[in-house]
Structures are given as structure tokens and as C-alpha cells.
Amino acid sequence: MGKITGFLELQRVEERHEPPQVRVRHWKEFVERLDDEHARQQGARCMDCGIPFCHNGCPVNNIIPDWNDLVYRGQWRRALDVLHSTNNFPEFTGRICPAPCEAACTLNINDDAVGIKSIEHFIIDKGWEEGWVVPQAAARKTGRKVAVVGSGPAGLACAQQLARAGHAVTLFEKSNRIGGLLRYGIPDFKLDKGLINRRLAQMEAEGVEFMPSTYVGNATDAPEGVAVRTPQELHAEFDAIVLTGGAETPRDLPVPGRELRGVHFAMDFLRQQNMVNAGDRVPRQISARDKHVIVIGGGDTGSDCVGTSNRQGAASVTQFELMPRLPEVEDKPLTWPYWPARLRTSSSHEEGCERDWAVATKALEGRNGKVEKLIAARVEWFRDKATGQMKMREVEGSQFELKADLVLLAMGFVAPVRSVLDAFGVEADARGSVRADTVNYRSNVDKVFAAGDMRRGQSLVVWAIREGRQCARAVDEFLMGSSTLPR
């Protein structure tokens, strides 16, 4: 695959980024894809390694060595066909996936991994520019109707696959635009929303009907200003129902002062900025302008809060994590080909942010109902001899305080919205997600399936796409007795 000696002769080349001082002035994407020649060279680095561990590292099982070889040979369109054979939306994963495939790359054992993500980004952008990405409408309709509830990556992938199988698919979304967390959870500087819009145009041409501003569940639980469709109505109208509403219940911070103004969940903060960027008016928008911002949580959502705060003009941004600081370089012989636990510095961190680790919040304090400072303490982690579990304890005398005008809780998500599960009468597992396996994706309720974060819990966009595709095949088999859709 690739050039037989390419990995010995060529170095990994990263995609170019706008300088931090430039990109913080706007909300547009700032990563420039590879040009043709650099893409060829990066494809040439793919080894003839015998066992492509990158396949297993990639949740959608992208056929990575094949399209690397095709890129090296300049066969762009064939590379696009191979890429699309496993992934409905490579323009999303090529931008926001953390690339577990690269961690699993054989070359990563003792060298820089093949730039798989940058090559994927190149292939799909080249395909759109050349007009090779076109609707794939089904030759024949089956006469079966499927409702997909939730329009994130799992719902989009499931809906597109089912439409291509010939089913009439209606995609419901409670927000005013289709896209789920792709639309309102990921900042525009990481994922331009025009990329979503052109995929929706393709899917509409393939027969998918979109129903935004429509809540599916009990009317008493619906947000204001949206239409309501009950589970009973969907059962009567559709032959199958797929729940892909995500894991939207955020992890809270039960400390004194949590009720103070200025303390918000990260997703409320990010969603509002994306709405403003899309042209919506948001009264009393949560803003970081001229404020001392503290982001609690060290993951991707926390990083997005950092980048958004800087673009809004924060006076300072501090991010801290409960867990200890990880090493900057992993022990590759110990971790490869699995996803390594190591310190990661995102593009948002490069734009300006104080970071700290092994810090626990003890309280939030303020005056007149408004947060003004955060009380924290340092913690140390140890292994409990009796249970073998890792536990933490406060370091004596380590308490300190930070000025805080805006506190953003970015500590992850614990479960789907329970009222939706209850409305459909589906069983939940121990984590509160819909109980369904990865063979048939069926819940305990007849005709009701579940996929994505609503089934597996909080996860990556690439896992959502995989589950959406596999669930579509399961639904097709349920409706037709067999299926030619890939898993």
C-alpha cells in the first residue's frame, strides 16, 4: 500500500492552521487541507504492513490502506468511492474525529503515524469540489415508512442508508435546524455548518423528509414553540421507529453555590453561540466578553468552551480537570494499537488558556445572586487496597480560590433524556441508555430501535455514524426479511 519505501523517505506533514492571533478574530474554519502533492506524499507513507490495525482502530472500519494507495496514485475519485463505502459523512470525521485509526497505525509504533485524518479530509473535500458527491436515490421504493427521531450523526447516517434502501424516511428534530450536536454542539470554527447543509440537500434529493422544530414525546415535556408528535402517532403512521436522540443529560456539579447566576452547562453556552452565528436572535445570550471564565472539565467540550470564550473576548480563561495530568508522550509499546492516555493540547488551548489538573471544586461564591469566585482544592489519587479501585483525597492545606464571572460545566453527559424513553416505554440499561444490542438494535418495544449515544452513551461522532449504519441494516432486515445494506 502506498510507496513501498515511502514511510522511510517521507515525513508526516500536518495540515496548515491559521495563527492563533488571527483565527480568534473570526468563527470560520482555520485548518487548510493538504494540496494534491502533499496528499500524494502522505498517502505514500502508508506501509505494506500486512495487518492493517487502522481498520480495527476506526469504528466505521474505513478501508484506509486502499484509499491511501489510491491517493498516492492520484486516483482521487476511486479513493472517494472507497471512503464512502464505509462512511456517510467523511467531511465530518475528517474534521472532528480524534483519529483513533492513527493511534492504531503500525507506523505509530516507533515513528509518526500516517496522517490518515488529513488524507480523509483531502479526499472528501476534493470530491465535493469536483462534483463527484451526488444523490444516490433508490431505484425502487419499498412502500415502507420509517421515523428517525434525532438528527445528529447517528440519525443522519441511519436515515440516509434507509432512504437508499428505498424506504420513505422522515427525520424528526426538536431544534429549529437539522444536525443535532453537529449543528449546535460543535463550534463553527471546527465544523462549518455549510457542510451539514449540503449533505442535507443530498439526502433530501434521496427522499429523506426533514421535520425540524418537532418534538417527539409527551406534549407536557415539549419545549415551547415546537410541534409535538406523540409516540402513539408514530406507531400508527410508521412501520419502524429509530431513536437517535443522543445522550443529552449533562453531568452536574452538586456543590454550594451551584444555583448562582453565571454558572451554566457547557452545551447551553456553545449552542447559543452557534445559533447567533446562524443568524438567530438569542435574548440574554451567555457571553464570556470581559469575564474571567472557568471551564470545569478537560475533554473536547471543555476545549470548545475555551475556543468560544476567547473568540467572545474573555478577560481570562482557566480550564481544570479532576483527573491528574497525563504524560505528554505515551508508552507506545504498552498502549499500541489502543487509544493512548496522554496529554492532548487542542488548537483552542493554543489560543490562550491556563490549564490545571487534579483540582476539585468545593464551592462557588458570589454576591447578589451572581457568581464571583470558585473555591477549589488539589486532590491526589490512590488505589484502594481492598477494592483495587482508584480513589481521591484532598491534599491538606491545598485549598485556593479563583476569580470567576462565568463558570462552564463541561464534565460530560450521563444519559439520554429520560422522559423520551418513558414516553416510548422502552427499557433502560444501568446507565440510563436504551437497552438494545448491536446485532439488531431493537428495544423491548415492538418496531422501536435505538442507535448512537442514545443506546451506547456519550461517545464519538464516528461511533454514532457506525451505529446509525448498522441500525439501518437491522431496520431494513426487520422490514424486508433481508438486507443488502452494509454494516
Side-chain angles (χ1 to χ4, degrees):
M1 301 299 172
K3 185 180 181 182
I4 196 67
T5 57
F7 71 97
L8 296 172
E9 301 168 6
L10 301 166
Q11 300 298 311
R12 177 181 170 115
V13 174
E14 301 292 345
E15 295 172 310
R16 293 177 58 185
H17 294 57
E18 276 188 345
Q21 64 270 25
V22 174
R23 65 190 190 231
V24 294
R25 301 174 187 166
H26 63 76
W27 296 95
K28 298 177 183 178
E29 289 187 2
F30 53 82
V31 178
E32 181 181 327
R33 73 167 172 83
L34 302 173
D35 60 29
D36 291 11
E37 184 54 33
H38 279 112
R40 285 176 185 265
Q41 292 178 9
Q42 294 310 292
R45 296 187 71 239
C46 188
M47 303 170 65
D48 187 10
C49 61
I51 300 175
F53 289 90
C54 54
H55 277 294
N56 192 55
C58 174
V60 293
N61 302 124
N62 277 330
I63 312 171
I64 295 165
D66 292 41
W67 44 257
N68 279 343
D69 183 61
L70 291 167
V71 167
Y72 164 58
R73 300 178 188 284
Q75 299 180 33
W76 322 121
R77 187 158 190 171
R78 287 186 61 194
L80 178 67
D81 291 340
V82 174
L83 178 56
H84 266 148
S85 70
T86 56
N87 187 350
N88 293 66
F89 313 119
E91 63 269 45
F92 304 158
T93 53
R95 286 168 166 82
I96 61 175
C97 179
C101 54
E102 293 187 13
C105 174
T106 302
L107 189 56
N108 191 48
I109 295 175
N110 65 345
D111 201 347
D112 293 329
V114 173
I116 298 168
K117 181 177 175 179
S118 65
I119 299 171
E120 180 180 25
H121 184 184
F122 167 82
I123 294 170
I124 184 59
D125 280 18
K126 183 85 169 178
W128 279 106
E129 290 171 4
E130 297 294 336
W132 297 333
V133 184
V134 295
Q136 300 177 35
R140 282 176 287 193
K141 299 296 183 182
T142 65
R144 305 296 176 88
K145 299 175 66 177
V146 182
V148 180
V149 182
S151 68
L156 291 173
C158 186
Q160 184 167 60
Q161 292 295 94
L162 288 169
R164 290 176 175 178
H167 304 302
V169 182
T170 303
L171 185 58
F172 295 92
E173 168 60 54
K174 67 177 181 296
S175 297
N176 61 340
R177 295 180 180 88
I178 299 295
L181 288 188
L182 290 172
R183 173 78 64 179
Y184 286 128
I186 298 172
D188 289 12
F189 57 81
K190 289 179 66 175
L191 180 66
D192 187 294
K193 301 311 180 277
L195 304 176
I196 303 174
N197 295 339
R198 69 184 181 188
R199 273 296 178 186
L200 299 184
Q202 180 198 37
M203 292 174 63
E204 195 167 31
E206 293 170 349
V208 178
E209 181 182 5
F210 298 112
M211 297 291 289
S213 299
T214 305
Y215 178 81
V216 176
N218 295 324
T220 54
D221 301 319
E224 292 184 9
V226 300
V228 177
R229 296 294 303 275
T230 66
Q232 293 75 22
E233 291 173 337
L234 265 59
H235 271 282
E237 183 178 346
F238 294 93
D239 300 297
I241 302 166
V242 184
L243 303 180
T244 56
E248 293 186 289
T249 304
R251 181 174 284 107
D252 210 338
L253 184 68
V255 298
R258 168 63 180 88
E259 74 286 351
L260 292 170
R261 296 194 310 276
V263 184
H264 302 276
F265 287 120
M267 204 51 63
D268 295 336
F269 173 67
L270 297 174
R271 175 186 176 86
Q272 288 188 3
Q273 184 58 58
N274 280 9
M275 293 177 69
V276 169
N277 290 348
D280 292 346
R281 297 188 63 183
V282 179
R284 298 181 297 279
Q285 179 190 357
I286 304 167
S287 175
R289 180 171 296 278
D290 299 326
K291 293 178 181 177
H292 297 281
V293 180
I294 296 180
V295 180
I296 302 176
D300 289 340
T301 302
S303 173
D304 292 344
C305 288
V306 171
T308 299
S309 295
N310 280 323
R311 282 163 178 75
Q312 289 183 352
S316 69
V317 183
T318 301
Q319 181 186 27
F320 59 77
E321 166 67 65
L322 183 64
M323 302 301 293
R325 178 170 177 153
L326 295 168
E328 295 192 15
V329 179
E330 72 272 24
D331 184 347
K332 288 185 178 181
L334 179 66
T335 62
W336 181 90
Y338 300 107
W339 183 248
R342 63 174 174 81
L343 180 65
R344 289 175 170 82
T345 298
S346 72
S347 59
S348 292
H349 295 139
E350 295 170 354
E351 294 162 4
C353 172
E354 293 294 327
R355 304 172 72 187
D356 206 347
W357 293 266
V359 174
T361 303
K362 299 191 68 175
L364 299 163
E365 295 182 359
R367 289 182 298 177
N368 301 318
K370 177 72 175 64
V371 68
E372 291 186 336
K373 61 183 177 180
L374 180 146
I375 311 301
R378 302 201 175 276
V379 297
E380 59 183 7
W381 290 84
F382 65 97
R383 189 174 299 279
D384 185 277
K385 293 182 179 179
T387 64
Q389 296 178 331
M390 293 300 294
K391 294 184 177 181
M392 69 174 186
R393 59 189 167 219
E394 183 177 330
V395 176
E396 186 176 353
S398 67
Q399 184 169 307
F400 63 98
E401 62 181 54
L402 294 170
K403 184 174 177 57
D405 304 310
L406 176 63
V407 178
L408 301 173
L409 308 181
M411 302 174 293
F413 302 86
V414 295
V417 176
R418 187 58 191 242
S419 60
V420 176
L421 276 62
D422 292 341
F424 278 92
V426 297
E427 289 181 359
D429 61 20
R431 299 177 303 167
S433 303
V434 178
R435 186 184 299 279
D437 61 35
T438 56
V439 176
N440 57 39
Y441 286 87
R442 293 179 67 174
S443 75
N444 62 301
V445 177
D446 185 41
K447 300 198 306 184
V448 178
F449 299 73
D453 288 6
M454 199 162 217
R455 191 206 67 83
R456 67 177 287 117
Q458 178 189 356
S459 192
L460 304 175
V461 62
V462 68
W463 273 108
I465 293 172
R466 170 184 172 140
E467 293 225 343
R469 288 170 61 89
Q470 291 188 339
C471 184
R473 180 183 172 93
V475 172
D476 191 35
E477 290 177 335
F478 168 74
L479 295 175
M480 308 302 294
S482 63
S483 178
T484 58
L485 289 175
R487 280 180 57 87

